[in-house]
Amino acid sequence: MNAVPLSWYLTLSGVLFTLGAAGFLFRRNIITVFMSIELMLNAVNLSFISFSYAFRRVDGQIFTFFVMVVAAAEAAVGLAIILTVFKNRNTLNIDDLNSMKDEYQPAQPEEASETAPVSVP
Amino acid sequence: MDVILFLVFAIIAVLCAINVVVQTHPIASALSLIGVMGSLAVLYLLLGAEFIAAAQVIVYAGAVMVLFVFVIMLLNAGEEVHRGRSFVVQVLGAPLLIALLGLLVYFAQRLFPGAPMVRFGAFRGGTAVAVGRALFTQYLLPFEVTSVLILIAILGAIVLARKELD
């Protein structure tokens, strides 16, 4: 009773991954969708560490380290993209961000007239 | 003791993960995600991965989530508007997810019959010394390539998020 089967850890990893996938599919806010991806990455990390324990080798932990680094880089670039999208479209709802599907609608002209006097002096 | 610790933090992780998906406000989702990452760090510690547990708290729960919270505050993201979901997701989403969960749990239970029981302290290969030795000998090239990746990511983030200087 003092030890946990390895399959419990793997099951927990599967449950977390499925919850992340559910968030990815069902949520409409682009930031929440992005956080669901982070949740899936964390679930995969847990199974990497579990296998690292099972094989008594450190390699799984190295993989987790690389996944963390790539996730940090991905978060920086992804959030910059979200910022740019919000600046151009003024929405965070992924239902409205379908310009690759529909025709592109140019930005409203009144935004340009507002920013023009600021840049003159 | 191991079973109690595992169950407590696994339940916290699953509840927080459900909260991430269910909450309508992004800031509540972000705080729940920090809960998931913190409890996962404890589970890493139980599995003998000390260094990764520390990195999880510092890099993930610290740096990455602070970035998320910054962006949520910066964009003043409010409650999400619910409109009609796409038809494909509405019909196929839940069955496919349940099938995925079933498959993952089945594989986790059946695929590794000879897997050892997890006992805290049985595997001590996750210290900073062991991880660093593997990282700088066997995995030196991937490590160096990763630094280039991070440099590119920094440049990309700056280029994307800068103000137009015209």
Side-chain angles (χ1 to χ4, degrees):
Chain A
M1 203 53 203
N2 201 15
V4 186
L6 190 78
S7 57
W8 291 15
Y9 281 93
L10 297 175
T11 308
L12 173 65
S13 165
V15 170
L16 289 180
F17 188 89
T18 313
L19 282 168
F24 184 80
L25 281 181
F26 292 127
R27 298 308 302 271
R28 301 288 94 185
N29 190 317
I30 192 167
I31 299 178
T32 318
V33 169
F34 206 51
M35 282 194 276
S36 304
I37 296 174
E38 296 289 330
L39 184 57
M40 288 196 275
L41 284 172
N42 266 284
V44 173
N45 278 350
L46 180 62
S47 58
F48 265 132
I49 302 259
S50 307
F51 287 127
S52 169
Y53 181 93
F55 293 113
R56 295 290 199 275
R57 290 178 64 92
V58 82
D59 302 56
Q61 300 181 12
I62 305 282
F63 282 7
T64 305
F65 181 78
F66 284 127
V67 170
M68 270 182 193
V69 172
V70 172
E74 170 232 337
V77 176
L79 288 170
I81 291 176
I82 290 176
L83 273 176
T84 314
V85 163
F86 185 78
K87 224 164 29 180
N88 288 331
R89 301 295 184 81
N90 214 6
T91 180
L92 287 174
N93 194 323
I94 54 174
D95 287 332
D96 299 335
L97 303 173
N98 54 3
S99 68
M100 290 180 87
K101 201 164 71 179
D102 296 338
E103 290 163 20
Y104 173 64
Q105 296 157 345
Q108 277 76 31
E110 61 262 23
E111 288 179 21
S113 61
E114 277 172 13
T115 51
V118 183
S119 59
V120 169
Chain B
M1 193 63 192
D2 279 21
V3 180
I4 296 168
L5 274 177
F6 172 81
L7 284 179
V8 166
F9 285 100
I11 288 168
I12 289 176
V14 170
L15 287 182
C16 285
I18 291 172
N19 211 26
V20 170
V21 179
V22 170
Q23 287 286 341
T24 53
H25 203 285
I27 206 89
S29 293
L31 291 179
S32 311
L33 194 53
I34 293 175
V36 176
M37 286 164 175
S39 43
L40 279 184
V42 177
L43 294 181
Y44 293 170
L45 215 51
L46 284 177
L47 285 164
E50 308 168 10
F51 178 75
I52 300 295
Q56 167 91 359
V57 172
I58 294 169
V59 175
Y60 253 134
V64 173
M65 291 317 291
V66 164
L67 207 59
F68 268 97
V69 174
F70 264 179
V71 170
I72 292 169
M73 297 292 196
L74 197 62
L75 300 186
N76 203 8
E79 305 261 328
E80 92 179 29
V81 219
H82 251 289
R83 230 163 292 166
R85 287 177 194 144
S86 114
F87 181 71
V88 181
V89 168
Q90 221 168 2
V91 174
L92 288 179
L96 276 181
L97 283 174
I98 290 168
L100 175 69
L101 180 63
L103 266 178
L104 287 173
V105 171
Y106 176 80
F107 282 139
Q109 302 291 340
R110 287 295 171 83
L111 210 54
F112 311 102
M117 303 285 273
V118 177
R119 191 171 285 113
F120 176 59
F123 172 56
R124 301 194 152 277
T127 57
V129 174
V131 173
R133 185 157 293 153
L135 202 58
F136 289 109
T137 54
Q138 196 185 349
Y139 292 95
L140 183 61
L141 181 64
F143 182 77
E144 298 294 345
V145 173
T146 307
S147 64
V148 178
L149 173 81
I150 291 195
L151 185 65
I152 295 170
I154 292 170
L155 290 178
I158 291 172
V159 167
L160 279 169
R162 72 173 172 188
K163 280 202 175 131
E164 293 301 329
L165 295 174
D166 64 43

